Amino acid sequence: MQNCSRARPVIERQLNVTPADIVKVMGQKMWRKWGIMLMEILLLLMSGGVTAKTCGVISIESHTVQLGSPLFASCAVGKQVCPGLNLDAQVIWKLDQNIIPSKDHTDVHQNMSSIYFRSFNKTSAALSCHFRMDQGIQLMDRVEINAGYPPAKPTNLTCHLNLTDERLVCNWQLGSNPLIKTNATLSIAETNKNCTPYEGKKYTCVPRPGETSCAIPRTQYHLYKKHAVWITAQNELGRVISSYLCLTPMNYVKLDPPVIKEAAPLLSHPGCVRIQTKKSETGSFIEQWYQLRYRKAEENQWTETKPIMKDSDELEYCNLSPATRYHFQIRCIRIFMKGYWSEWGSDTSLLTSESAPTGKVKTWWRVLEATGDGPTQIQLLWKALKKEEANSENPWYIVGIRLEPYWNGNVVCNTTFLNCSFHLPHEATGAYLWVYNTAGHSPRMEIDFRDRKIPGMPVSWIHVLPNTDNSLAVEWRLQTMAKSYVLEWRKSSQNLESDFKWKTEPEGSSTSILQDIEPFQQYTVWVYPVYENQVGSPVQVNAYSRQGVPEIAPKLTLISVTKSSAQLSWEPVPLERRHGFIKNYTVFWTDSDRRTLSVTLNSNLTRFVIRNLQPLGMYTVLLSCSTSEGSVNGSVLMIYTTLLDEMEIHVLIMVLCMSSVMIVIGSSFICLGKHKGVKNKFWQVVPDPANSSMGKWRPVCHETPKMSLNIREMITSDLTILEGWPEKKPPSTDVTKCTPVSFEHKPQCSTDDAGVQRPYINVADTVQYAKVITGYFGQSPTSTSHLRSNSTQPLLSNTSPSPQTYENMWFHSNNEEDSIFLIEDENLSNFPLLQALKIQEDGDIFSF
């Protein structure tokens, strides 16, 4: 045990663990004895046993063996090193961490144990020998064993001379993986005619780890002498040499690729190109052959031409498609195919020249608008020719109308599009179509419009089903005499004249797949059977490649509302926003007590009447729109019912109107019955002075009154005309002077200035129209009579308005009593009240 314990520090150093470290971890206050015991337990768990290599040794034939071969090993114990070892101790073998059963190994004698593997099938493993002792399992020895295969013979040895750095580069392939470390060495030596290397003149090249190529420098070979090159592969299980490669380095040269200087199409020969090349600088002194390869721009596969066996810097190649873009590359090799082809050069592209179109265009036409009197609007469609048929990238199309049996040049379209719309005259029977480009045009194609005047039989049924999210599958029943079928399709939301797609299916077809379909969009599909001399009537159907929930729901509109019902309407959802076939509409309405009712309607309805509502109620209405994939709710509409129905409101209005009419009629009769009182109440009677007898007076200045006195009709005994009215005269103004009128003398007037009118004074106060003092033959009046008017119209007075009298000669009259001024007749028309005071002779009396 003392000898075994001496091995303990060895393991401790291997594991970098010391007793002091463990004791420090467990606590320095613990006793040293307990620390040592814990350390031994830890080492036992980590190492699987106590190491003591000096006590035993494992003997093995080789540490590297061939995989699957048998293996023999033995473990011997040295008593001189471990004299205290118990001879009855049990031997334990382990392969890696797995204990080998005792039946698989034998004990030769007390100091040795052996083990035999019939087939060692691990590429790498650790074999160890242990003894079971009282203190545990004790490790005696351990060995590493690797298993693999001998190296395989290298193959595919090739070498080429690179003129750029003048190195001979060789490549090879190793055989199967030997699973153990294997080294490869490249060797080169000059040989005799029989390709036998000369002894002592060998150069070896060791590649980098993992590489299978090596470069021999220019100093180790001769350009024009024969050499042998071989590969030697070696590992611990064997050594193998590849076959010899006998070569003359100059015959294995690999040139640098040439450069394409210019590439252009041959206009005189469509499908041919001319390419100018330039040799690389390193191989410019070597005669070369070339090889060309090309591909179309839309393809990835290259096509190689036959080697061009001439050393020329200008090459021509044909057999290309006209009006097609190609990519070209070129490579070279030493003349007479000595050496290796160079790498392909840089890529160059060009477009070949055009040639006249050769293909036949597929056509189809449809009627856009037909009128009885006017021309018919036709839309002619055609499929684009393939590139190899159009021989042009952008061909043009000419459409002409045939009016006579021969073409008369009536062109209606010259376009690059694939359709043409035009008006067809009644006398036209068809149209012609050409395809042309810069090189020429195709043969003329005729389209006959008479094959649809009498439509043929349509297909009996058609089904359109979703195929994928972007395609539809169309099926129809075959027609016996149909030569082909034409399918049209477009979005249902587009108008009739919008661009739509079409295709043809040959005779005997009953299915077709429509591509480029948008999901959630409704498409309309038509199927036409085409017979020998006529076209059948179309059959159409709508379909979706994929349906979804509608994008929106219709917006509700309230048309009318009564006390017990409400009429609603809505517009259908636009086709592009339906996302599927509308199955139904659902109307929900909720009253103020949160009671909800609903009704489901057909998808073709756009109106609905909600009945049995409460008067003066508030309702919330909601419309839901559904497809097979789900539904969506619209906006909420608030409805308030009325107290009365419309008829009741009309009756009430009629009653009110009739009551109002009766009130008006009754009031009218009352007013008519008391017409005079009502009139005097609101419109007082004002006498018209113009209708009084005063309107017959005459100015006394112009005529002499004829006095006719009738004592019986005299109002008073005296009639006196006031005279001698003092006036306010301006300082220097001549006015007409009149003497007062009397019964004995005529009035006399003198005019100093005929152009000056007499003054007048307006007053705002109520005055009498006239005040007449009468006297009879100079007698003193015993009484005075006054003629008065009921009018309140302002008359003349002595009040002098602004300006002052000295400023205006017209305002100079002043009298304490009411005055009447006599003025000229021509000015009386401006003063109707004064005119009424004219005194005139009426028979034998004076009258007013």
Side-chain angles (χ1 to χ4, degrees):
M1 292 299 297
Q2 294 177 355
N3 293 334
C4 293
S5 64
R6 286 196 297 268
R8 196 174 297 146
V10 177
I11 294 183
E12 292 171 0
R13 287 192 297 271
Q14 293 176 354
L15 299 174
N16 294 325
V17 178
T18 62
D21 296 334
I22 299 178
V23 171
K24 187 176 182 180
V25 174
M26 302 300 296
Q28 296 181 359
K29 294 183 179 181
M30 297 180 63
W31 292 345
R32 183 176 181 81
K33 180 179 179 180
W34 293 104
I36 293 174
M37 292 179 63
L38 291 174
M39 181 186 66
E40 290 176 350
I41 294 173
L42 180 63
L43 291 174
L44 181 63
L45 294 174
M46 295 180 63
S47 63
V50 181
T51 304
K53 289 188 178 181
T54 55
C55 294
V57 177
I58 295 178
S59 298
I60 194 171
E61 295 179 358
S62 174
H63 289 274
T64 302
V65 297
Q66 187 170 346
L67 190 65
S69 64
L71 176 65
F72 177 81
S74 63
C75 179
V77 179
K79 290 185 178 181
Q80 66 279 9
V81 181
C82 299
L85 182 64
N86 188 359
L87 297 179
D88 297 332
Q90 182 183 359
V91 178
I92 297 175
W93 288 89
K94 286 186 178 183
L95 190 62
D96 291 334
Q97 298 297 327
N98 302 319
I99 297 177
I100 300 174
S102 58
K103 65 179 181 178
D104 293 337
H105 60 83
T106 58
D107 294 334
V108 179
H109 49 77
Q110 293 180 349
N111 296 335
M112 181 178 292
S113 177
S114 63
I115 189 170
Y116 180 75
F117 297 93
R118 295 180 181 179
S119 178
F120 192 81
N121 54 11
K122 285 193 173 186
T123 59
S124 178
L127 182 63
S128 58
C129 175
H130 302 261
F131 275 87
R132 187 183 297 278
M133 304 177 66
D134 296 338
Q135 292 80 6
I137 298 176
Q138 181 176 337
L139 176 63
M140 295 300 172
D141 197 6
R142 183 198 303 257
V143 294
E144 297 288 337
I145 300 175
N146 295 318
Y149 300 101
K153 184 178 181 179
T155 58
N156 295 336
L157 176 61
T158 60
C159 297
H160 66 272
L161 177 62
N162 190 344
L163 293 180
T164 302
D165 53 11
E166 296 184 340
R167 295 187 305 168
L168 186 63
V169 181
C170 297
N171 299 273
W172 64 91
Q173 289 182 352
L174 294 175
S176 58
N177 186 8
L179 302 178
I180 58 176
K181 183 179 180 180
T182 302
N183 298 322
T185 303
L186 173 67
S187 301
I188 183 172
E190 293 184 8
T191 65
N192 54 20
K193 295 181 181 180
N194 297 327
C195 199
T196 303
Y198 293 124
E199 295 293 336
K201 295 183 179 180
K202 182 177 68 172
Y203 174 79
T204 58
C205 177
V206 179
R208 295 178 181 178
E211 293 185 358
T212 57
S213 66
C214 202
I216 303 173
R218 175 67 180 83
T219 56
Q220 302 300 325
Y221 65 89
H222 195 280
L223 287 176
Y224 297 98
K225 288 185 178 181
K226 185 175 290 187
H227 295 74
V229 181
W230 67 95
I231 302 296
T232 302
Q234 184 176 358
N235 59 23
E236 294 185 11
L237 298 180
R239 177 175 178 270
V240 65
I241 298 176
S242 68
S243 301
Y244 287 108
L245 174 63
C246 294
L247 57 85
T248 300
M250 197 60 190
N251 293 337
Y252 284 78
V253 65
K254 185 176 182 179
L255 301 174
D256 291 333
V259 178
I260 298 178
K261 292 175 58 178
E262 184 181 358
L266 293 177
L267 300 179
S268 57
H269 297 82
C272 296
V273 295
R274 178 182 290 113
I275 298 175
Q276 293 183 358
T277 63
K278 180 183 179 181
K279 297 179 180 179
S280 63
E281 295 182 0
T282 56
S284 58
F285 60 94
I286 299 176
E287 291 187 275
Q288 303 173 10
W289 287 354
Y290 301 96
Q291 186 180 25
L292 191 68
R293 74 173 183 177
Y294 60 90
R295 66 175 177 86
K296 294 181 179 180
E298 62 275 8
E299 297 177 354
N300 296 324
Q301 185 66 34
W302 291 90
T303 301
E304 296 182 1
T305 65
K306 293 181 179 180
I308 302 173
M309 299 179 181
K310 63 177 181 178
D311 187 10
S312 174
D313 58 356
E314 186 173 290
L315 308 175
E316 289 186 4
Y317 184 76
C318 295
N319 299 327
L320 301 175
S321 299
T324 305
R325 183 163 294 279
Y326 285 91
H327 292 265
F328 295 92
Q329 288 181 336
I330 194 171
R331 64 178 181 176
C332 63
I333 194 174
R334 191 182 174 193
I335 193 172
F336 301 117
M337 306 292 289
K338 294 180 180 180
Y340 296 95
W341 284 104
S342 68
E343 300 294 334
W344 291 102
S346 58
D347 190 298
T348 301
S349 65
L350 61 83
L351 182 66
T352 57
S353 59
E354 297 180 349
S355 63
T358 57
K360 184 178 181 181
V361 180
K362 293 181 179 180
T363 60
W364 177 247
W365 61 275
R366 64 197 329 258
V367 177
L368 295 181
E369 182 181 357
T371 58
D373 300 332
T376 302
Q377 188 176 5
I378 298 294
Q379 186 178 30
L380 180 64
L381 304 104
W382 55 88
K383 292 292 184 181
L385 290 175
K386 298 180 180 179
K387 265 196 171 183
E388 55 269 20
E389 297 175 341
N391 297 327
S392 175
E393 282 194 333
N394 297 304
W396 286 74
Y397 302 90
I398 296 179
V399 179
I401 298 176
R402 187 183 64 189
L403 298 176
E404 301 293 339
Y406 301 100
W407 170 250
N408 63 349
N410 189 11
V411 175
V412 293
C413 285
N414 187 359
T415 179
T416 58
F417 296 103
L418 300 178
N419 60 80
C420 175
S421 298
F422 55 91
H423 289 85
L424 186 70
H426 288 292
E427 61 272 15
T429 59
Y432 293 101
L433 177 65
W434 287 277
V435 185
Y436 74 96
N437 55 28
T438 57
H441 61 82
S442 66
R444 186 176 66 187
M445 289 165 287
E446 182 177 354
I447 301 98
D448 193 355
F449 294 144
R450 294 172 295 183
D451 55 0
R452 296 195 198 178
K453 290 186 176 181
I454 303 177
M457 291 295 298
V459 294
S460 57
W461 60 264
I462 175 176
H463 293 297
V464 181
L465 303 173
N467 185 49
T468 64
D469 286 352
N470 300 103
S471 62
L472 291 172
V474 185
E475 299 178 0
W476 62 89
R477 179 168 293 174
L478 289 174
Q479 296 299 112
T480 305
M481 303 299 293
K483 299 299 181 182
S484 63
Y485 299 90
V486 177
L487 288 84
E488 298 178 351
W489 70 96
R490 63 172 173 82
K491 289 183 180 180
S492 302
S493 58
Q494 297 174 340
N495 55 36
L496 186 61
E497 296 185 5
S498 62
D499 187 20
F500 59 91
K501 299 179 181 179
W502 64 282
K503 65 183 299 187
T504 59
E505 294 293 344
E507 181 181 0
S509 299
S510 61
T511 61
S512 181
I513 302 297
L514 309 182
Q515 302 291 344
D516 300 328
I517 302 297
E518 295 183 21
F520 311 119
Q521 294 295 319
Q522 179 176 311
Y523 281 80
T524 303
V525 181
W526 293 267
V527 176
Y528 297 79
V530 180
Y531 300 97
E532 184 68 31
N533 294 317
Q534 61 181 175
V535 177
S537 300
V539 178
Q540 75 176 57
V541 66
N542 298 325
Y544 285 88
S545 63
R546 180 182 177 184
Q547 297 190 54
V549 179
E551 184 177 345
I552 59 171
K555 182 180 179 181
L556 282 173
T557 302
L558 180 63
I559 298 178
S560 63
V561 62
T562 65
K563 69 176 184 180
S564 61
S565 64
Q567 186 176 9
L568 307 173
S569 69
W570 59 88
E571 293 293 333
V573 180
L575 280 174
E576 62 272 13
R577 307 183 74 177
R578 293 182 184 178
H579 296 177
F581 292 109
I582 303 299
K583 296 177 60 179
N584 55 64
Y585 296 104
T586 304
V587 180
F588 302 88
W589 64 93
T590 305
D591 59 13
S592 56
D593 296 331
R594 296 188 177 181
R595 291 176 298 182
T596 302
L597 298 175
S598 64
V599 62
T600 301
L601 307 174
N602 293 332
S603 59
N604 58 349
L605 296 179
T606 58
R607 289 195 176 191
F608 178 69
V609 179
I610 304 176
R611 304 186 185 277
N612 299 325
L613 302 179
Q614 297 297 324
L616 291 179
M618 181 183 70
Y619 291 86
T620 302
V621 184
L622 178 68
L623 180 65
S624 175
C625 177
S626 302
T627 64
S628 60
E629 298 297 325
S631 60
V632 63
N633 295 332
S635 58
V636 176
L637 178 65
M638 302 298 296
I639 294 178
Y640 299 91
T641 56
T642 60
L643 180 62
L644 300 174
D645 285 338
E646 185 177 0
M647 182 60 67
E648 295 174 347
I649 294 174
H650 291 170
V651 172
L652 180 60
I653 293 175
M654 291 178 63
V655 171
L656 293 176
C657 292
M658 292 179 66
S659 300
S660 301
V661 171
M662 294 300 294
I663 292 172
V664 172
I665 293 174
S667 301
S668 300
F669 279 110
I670 293 173
C671 292
L672 291 175
K674 298 182 179 182
H675 174 67
K676 294 183 179 180
V678 174
K679 181 177 180 182
N680 292 333
K681 181 67 176 177
F682 294 99
W683 301 281
Q684 297 181 358
V685 177
V686 179
D688 187 0
N691 296 327
S692 67
S693 59
M694 294 180 181
K696 300 179 181 180
W697 290 12
R698 302 290 184 181
V700 297
C701 294
H702 296 281
E703 63 178 296
T704 303
K706 296 180 180 181
M707 304 300 293
S708 176
L709 299 178
N710 189 350
I711 303 304
R712 291 174 301 178
E713 294 179 1
M714 289 294 291
I715 298 174
T716 58
S717 58
D718 295 326
L719 176 62
T720 303
I721 302 301
L722 298 178
E723 62 181 2
W725 298 94
E727 296 180 354
K728 293 180 182 180
K729 299 180 180 180
S732 58
T733 304
D734 295 332
V735 296
T736 302
K737 298 179 182 179
C738 298
T739 56
V741 178
S742 67
F743 294 111
E744 301 151 336
H745 303 284
K746 293 182 180 180
Q748 297 181 1
C749 300
S750 62
T751 302
D752 296 337
D753 189 354
V756 179
Q757 296 182 356
R758 296 182 182 275
Y760 65 92
I761 300 173
N762 291 331
V763 295
D765 298 335
T766 302
V767 297
Q768 303 300 326
Y769 284 119
K771 181 178 181 181
V772 182
I773 302 174
T774 59
Y776 185 66
F777 297 107
Q779 297 179 1
S780 299
T782 59
S783 65
T784 302
S785 298
H786 301 273
L787 299 180
R788 299 182 181 273
S789 172
N790 293 329
S791 175
T792 58
Q793 181 175 352
L795 271 178
L796 302 178
S797 179
N798 58 349
T799 305
S800 178
S802 175
Q804 300 299 325
T805 55
Y806 63 87
E807 295 176 351
N808 194 329
M809 54 181 286
W810 295 95
F811 299 92
H812 52 77
S813 175
N814 187 12
N815 192 3
E816 294 180 357
E817 297 182 355
D818 297 334
S819 303
I820 297 176
F821 295 91
L822 302 180
I823 59 175
E824 302 296 333
D825 287 340
E826 63 268 20
N827 295 326
L828 284 178
S829 61
N830 297 328
F831 302 92
L833 298 181
L834 282 179
Q835 190 177 6
L837 296 177
K838 292 190 300 180
I839 299 174
Q840 62 182 2
E841 182 179 1
D842 186 7
D844 296 332
I845 62 174
F846 286 97
S847 63
F848 291 92

